[in-house]
Amino acid sequence: MNIKFLSDLSVCCKKQPILINRYPKYAAFVFFTTALLISYFPFKYAFASQWGLSISVLLIIVVLVLNALKLMTSPLTILNGILIAVIIGGMLTFLSFSAPLAAGIWTPAFLVSLYLLFPFKVAWLVALFFWLILSYSTVAQLTFDIALRLSLSSCIVLMLTTIIVKIYNDAISTAEGLATTDVLTGALNRRTMLEVLHKEHERVTRYKQQCCLVMIDLDNFKTLNDTYGHASGDELLIQFVKLVHESIRQNDTLFRLGGDEFMLVLPCLNIADAYAFVARLQKLVPQVINYKSVELGMSFGVCEMQEGETLNELIHNADTALYQNKLARKANTLL
């Protein structure tokens, strides 16, 4: 159960990155500044012989400083966030029984910080959990009127933070989608292709694994556009991308280079298997995608990524293989 829980958290982090890692230097500055601002309180509590409170605040300062130092060199992980939340949340809970008014004042800042330490959905649940605990302990220690004001204040901060972070995440997702995907078909774009090819080339070079590229060009597409209009052509491009996405593996990637040209990246696949797969796809395309009297065909060129090749050489080899495939298809048609 614990392993599954951590796995789910890991998947969640991939879908929604930890917000604090987007701006690590700013976050480190905030951590350092917060630690400096509250450094007065351990001394105050120590002089008043309130050693529990003094140690609690001192622990919070240590956690802030250590994680600020970590942010200067590497991103925080989900486990770092859990550790920070447990320590600071635990200290605030202890503080809520010893000095409930002080705990109530610091609770909103703590709840906001949770949205920086966790993916959005996880942050919301963790923040709600601590809000309930801290509100309960505050009500138990203070008069109902004061406790209610503190709890409502924290609740309003929690709701506003939830809305703001949700809007921010949606805006970032939209911007990243526009930067990495083709608006019409939903396939990834050329810019993203170069990034993926670079990573795959590093993996092939370092781990001696295989990776194949497939350059794709759609036959009869110009005829369809000229005969029935661009709207029909756009619809067939969308259908083609959908068909490819339904046919490829989860770690395969399709890119639209422009017009009716596409690139397919097939990691961990040798050239024989890649050729066999795309040949099956080539036969499937005209059976599934057609418009009135025009069938959409597909030519392709397959090449295997080599350790010593540059990305430009690799793309050129795939393009050459595509050209040879188109010539062979035309020759067969004439025969």
Side-chain angles (χ1 to χ4, degrees), residues 239-308:
Q239 291 181 25
F240 172 75
V241 170
K242 181 181 178 182
L243 175 63
V244 174
H245 281 156
E246 291 174 348
S247 303
I248 60 179
R249 303 168 301 170
Q250 187 173 3
N251 60 334
D252 298 334
T253 317
L254 178 68
F255 305 89
R256 185 185 181 196
L257 305 184
D260 60 340
E261 293 185 349
F262 295 84
M263 176 74 81
L264 190 58
V265 178
L266 307 172
C268 304
L269 206 63
N270 61 44
I271 192 165
D273 291 337
Y275 189 94
F277 163 71
V278 186
R280 291 194 300 270
L281 182 63
Q282 186 183 49
K283 293 180 180 179
L284 184 62
V285 167
Q287 297 174 11
V288 176
I289 305 175
N290 53 72
Y291 189 85
K292 295 185 178 180
S293 61
V294 181
E295 290 184 345
L296 190 67
M298 185 188 100
S299 297
F300 67 89
V302 181
C303 71
E304 189 169 2
M305 188 176 289
Q306 302 296 329
E307 185 175 332

Side-chain angles (χ1 to χ4, degrees), residues 142-150:
L142 298 173
T143 63
F144 179 79
D145 186 55
I146 295 177
L148 181 62
R149 292 180 185 181
L150 291 174

Side-chain angles (χ1 to χ4, degrees), residues 38 45 52-53 55-57 59-60 84-114 130-131 133-135 137-138 141 154:
I38 66 174
Y45 292 137
L53 295 177
I55 293 173
S56 297
V57 180
L59 277 174
I60 293 175
I84 295 172
V86 168
I87 293 177
I88 297 181
M91 293 304 100
L92 274 179
T93 302
F94 172 77
L95 193 66
S96 66
F97 288 99
S98 305
L101 190 57
I105 292 173
W106 288 108
T107 294
F110 170 65
L111 296 178
V112 171
S113 69
L114 294 175
F130 276 110
W131 177 77
I133 290 179
L134 292 170
S135 295
S137 59
T138 302
Q141 301 297 317
S154 299

